[in-house]
Amino acid sequence: MIRSIALTAFLTLIVCSCARGSQNQHPVTQASKPPPSVIQQETPPPAQPDTTTQQSEVQQATAAQEKGDEPEDDPRAARGDAGLERLAQLPADQQLPGGKWKAGVNYDPLVPAQPTTVGPGKVEVVEVFWLGCPHCAALEPYIQSWLKNKPPYIDFVRVPVMWGPAHRAHAHLFYTIAALNRQDLVQKAFDAIQNQHQMLFATGEDDSLKAQQAWAKENGVSPDDYAKAYNSFSVNSNLQRAEQLTQRYHVEGVPLVVINGKFTTDVAKANGQSNLIALIDDLAAAEHKH
């Protein structure tokens, strides 16, 4: 009974929210996943757990977005305006091919620009994602195909978003998988969470660990090995960095792509997964040329 209630609560959390552009919305379930022609993003959970209030806020935010409304004192607008002004001042040879992509429409400047972790001659491409996000899962095949053919100067990094307890638990899972050198389990984690309705997190960290250990054991990882990696210094350091980057990148929806710490874009802005991959390549090429 308790497990059933917890599962229902988890599915409700995911179902309650999916509309791009509002901080008062949360993630959606696989069951409510839109067809490929509909582009959406996962957005942060609200501060208050009142379902009635959440639904009202979602409706208001969605209506405002459809009208194109934006609060006049919204700091995001100021950041965007400053960044677009900076882009407009760039020499023509430092801008993307005219008519193909438009700043402020297909991609946005990240203000202030953030440092990267790549070496000279390299361009960093970061995907901010969540294992519980169906839109991140839908993008995954495109990412995997792109990784096989991407330019060698691109270093790809994944950063799990750190909004609330479920996101943190899944971030812990992702970095533990990485520490175990079992990247093959990333897709299995997507499937377990979204298709098999295995939450892989609980109300307490100890219970989250036990749930993840049980899942890992089913996939050939001993509970002891999983716990050792889960509690390792490297995993905890990565979690702290993910927390910082979620803030620095002003993440308001996932999947979000950050190019070289300077530009952000997503599936909706690019108007499709294939277009997003092409836009990433073009922005990265422009950065590499500089």
Side-chain angles (χ1 to χ4, degrees), residues 1-286:
M1 179 66 178
I2 294 176
R3 177 180 175 82
S4 176
I5 292 174
L7 176 58
T8 300
F10 176 63
L11 294 178
T12 300
L13 167 68
I14 297 184
V15 170
C16 276
S17 72
C18 185
R20 186 173 173 277
S22 170
Q23 284 186 317
N24 295 320
Q25 299 160 0
H26 347 258
V28 299
T29 70
Q30 185 73 11
S32 63
K33 178 182 173 182
S37 60
V38 180
I39 307 300
Q40 294 178 305
Q41 265 189 308
E42 303 306 332
T43 52
Q48 300 298 325
D50 187 329
T51 302
T52 302
T53 301
Q54 292 171 353
Q55 292 175 342
S56 175
E57 290 174 343
V58 168
Q59 293 169 353
Q60 293 174 10
T62 302
Q65 183 185 354
E66 290 175 351
K67 294 178 181 178
D69 294 340
E70 182 98 21
E72 293 182 359
D73 58 350
D74 191 336
R76 289 174 292 164
R79 290 198 303 267
D81 289 345
L84 291 174
E85 182 178 351
R86 185 189 70 193
L87 283 175
Q89 294 173 350
L90 289 175
D93 63 349
Q94 294 185 25
Q95 299 183 29
L96 291 183
K100 188 173 182 181
W101 308 112
K102 185 176 180 181
V105 176
N106 302 120
Y107 65 97
D108 293 307
L110 180 58
V111 181
Q114 296 298 313
T116 66
T117 59
V118 298
K122 294 287 188 176
V123 176
E124 182 184 70
V125 172
V126 175
E127 181 201 11
V128 186
F129 77 109
W130 176 37
L131 286 171
C133 162
H135 312 302
C136 297
L139 180 61
E140 184 66 11
Y142 294 87
I143 292 292
Q144 291 304 317
S145 177
W146 171 71
L147 287 174
K148 295 175 183 177
N149 302 290
K150 70 174 180 62
Y153 57 78
I154 293 179
D155 279 356
F156 179 67
V157 181
R158 304 186 96 161
V159 175
V161 72
M162 297 281 277
W163 285 329
H167 308 95
R168 294 171 188 275
H170 291 160
H172 214 146
L173 169 63
F174 171 76
Y175 282 128
T176 301
I177 288 173
L180 290 165
N181 197 28
R182 288 293 306 271
Q183 295 300 330
D184 60 299
L185 294 183
V186 173
Q187 183 60 56
K188 291 185 177 181
F190 270 126
D191 292 338
I193 294 167
Q194 299 181 57
N195 300 329
Q196 301 170 24
H197 306 310
Q198 296 185 48
M199 295 177 286
L200 301 185
F201 91 98
T203 53
E205 185 172 352
D206 289 344
D207 290 335
S208 288
L209 172 57
K210 290 177 182 177
Q212 293 177 17
Q213 282 178 300
W215 173 80
K217 184 177 180 180
E218 294 174 357
N219 289 280
V221 179
S222 75
D224 287 344
D225 286 345
Y226 189 89
K228 183 178 179 180
Y230 183 94
N231 292 309
S232 66
F233 175 80
S234 64
V235 168
N236 285 312
S237 296
N238 283 330
L239 288 169
Q240 291 178 11
R241 182 170 181 271
E243 178 83 49
Q244 295 170 356
L245 291 179
T246 295
Q247 299 298 321
R248 291 178 182 176
Y249 291 158
H250 316 297
V251 182
E252 294 163 358
V254 295
L256 177 75
V257 178
V258 183
I259 294 89
N260 223 30
K262 296 180 181 179
F263 307 106
T264 64
T265 187
D266 56 50
V267 177
K269 284 184 175 296
N271 196 30
Q273 290 97 337
S274 296
N275 286 343
L276 176 61
I277 298 301
L279 175 55
I280 291 171
D281 280 340
D282 285 347
L283 284 169

